[in-house]
Amino acid sequence: MESIKGNLFIITAASGAGKTSLVKALVNDKPNIKVSISFTTRNPRVGEVDGKDYFFLDEVNFEKMVENNEFLEMAKCHGSLYGTSKLTVKEALDKGEDIILEIDYQGAFKVKKLFPDSISIFIIPPSIRALEDRLHNRGQDSEKDIKLRVAAARNEMSHLDKFDYVTINDNFEKALFELKKIVNFNPEALKLKTENQILNHKYLIDELKK
Ligand code: 5GP
């Protein structure tokens, strides 16, 4: 267990739930929050920039970082390795800065254990259909990959009840507004607490977890 000066936010979502665009918009509006750039062994997608979207590296170099204990957490997702830099997070929090980790549910659980005061948020799509449409429109994944990602999404979403907050990305501006309430500790964010969202959106959440 660690004590922290800055706020640590964990944002998790299935790929295609619109997480990356939402986090970009959130940070643009709130320059005092930074986003941790993860390390990954996955190949860059078209338009992705090394050092901006991810630090792209091969498995040998990833393993070296593991041996040197450089990761706060790491996980395997869709066949590639992903890890969060311990140094980046520690430095930000020690300076009293707020930092966002965009990581999967396995990483989220590890970080929550290390930092029980961290705030975890799960972003869900309004339907499985919307998730499939976003993955198709992104045009970066093969048909086979899309099927795998949708199955993985259902698995991810089966863990959402362990998160502090849930946001439904049915409308970008609305979801952004909700994320802002959470990171600004607005009392209205209470409505977005997972236990309330599970009650208010039972049908959708049951459907997504199937
Ligand atoms: P993508 O390849 O689509 O960018 O990301 C695939 C998954 O890996 C997403 O769920 C994303 O949140 C997760 N991810 C990205 N970086 C990290 C990380 O550093 N640690 C963990 N545990 N998951 C990550």
Side-chain angles (χ1 to χ4, degrees):
M1 190 164 141
E2 312 251 350
S3 69
I4 51 180
K5 285 194 237 152
N7 294 302
L8 178 56
F9 297 98
I10 305 165
I11 302 193
T12 297
S15 17
K19 172 189 56 173
T20 306
S21 326
L22 278 169
V23 170
K24 273 195 186 126
L26 180 69
V27 174
N28 267 345
D29 243 48
K30 217 172 144 41
N32 51 337
I33 294 196
K34 68 190 266 187
V35 182
S36 155
I37 302 168
S38 294
F39 289 77
T40 184
T41 60
R42 125 161 127 59
N43 291 326
R45 297 196 183 106
V46 177
E48 281 185 332
V49 177
D50 186 39
K52 191 164 166 267
D53 297 289
Y54 280 104
F55 291 106
F56 296 98
L57 75 180
D58 58 23
E59 291 208 7
V60 173
N61 284 311
F62 193 97
E63 287 306 330
K64 274 190 195 149
M65 290 184 71
V66 175
E67 277 164 28
N68 293 336
N69 199 19
E70 289 181 57
F71 290 124
L72 182 67
E73 63 74 37
M74 48 164 286
K76 194 166 200 171
C77 307
H78 315 295
S80 302
L81 296 164
Y82 294 82
T84 304
S85 158
K86 200 181 267 181
L87 192 67
T88 306
V89 174
K90 287 223 162 213
E91 275 183 356
L93 297 178
D94 285 348
K95 278 193 242 160
E97 288 172 1
D98 292 354
I99 186 159
I100 297 177
L101 309 184
E102 271 187 69
I103 58 178
D104 86 315
Y105 77 95
Q106 306 166 82
F109 292 165
K110 289 178 202 159
V111 174
K112 190 75 182 174
K113 215 169 185 178
L114 287 169
F115 298 96
D117 291 337
S118 59
I119 297 111
S120 59
I121 307 165
F122 202 110
I123 302 175
I124 59 173
S127 64
I128 288 288
R129 180 66 198 268
L131 189 75
E132 288 169 346
D133 286 351
R134 282 209 192 107
L135 289 169
H136 277 121
N137 293 341
R138 188 159 78 173
Q140 291 175 343
D141 304 281
S142 67
E143 211 48 51
K144 189 175 146 234
D145 276 349
I146 292 178
K147 281 214 170 77
L148 286 174
R149 280 180 185 261
V150 169
R154 287 193 189 271
N155 175 42
E156 290 241 353
M157 290 186 291
S158 71
H159 300 281
L160 71 77
D161 42 357
K162 296 188 197 76
F163 282 71
D164 298 318
Y165 294 93
V166 172
T167 298
I168 303 166
N169 186 13
D170 47 356
N171 169 293
F172 186 86
E173 291 306 326
K174 182 175 148 277
L176 181 60
F177 189 61
E178 291 187 348
L179 281 180
K180 282 186 191 165
K181 280 186 191 165
I182 299 169
V183 300
N184 289 322
F185 299 99
N186 182 321
E188 280 187 33
L190 194 61
K191 289 182 193 149
L192 306 169
K193 280 269 183 189
T194 303
E195 58 269 29
N196 294 328
Q197 294 284 58
I198 287 176
L199 282 179
N200 294 331
H201 300 278
K202 189 175 171 354
Y203 181 77
L204 167 66
I205 291 173
D206 285 349
E207 190 61 31
L208 295 175
K209 284 159 73 169
K210 258 184 203 162

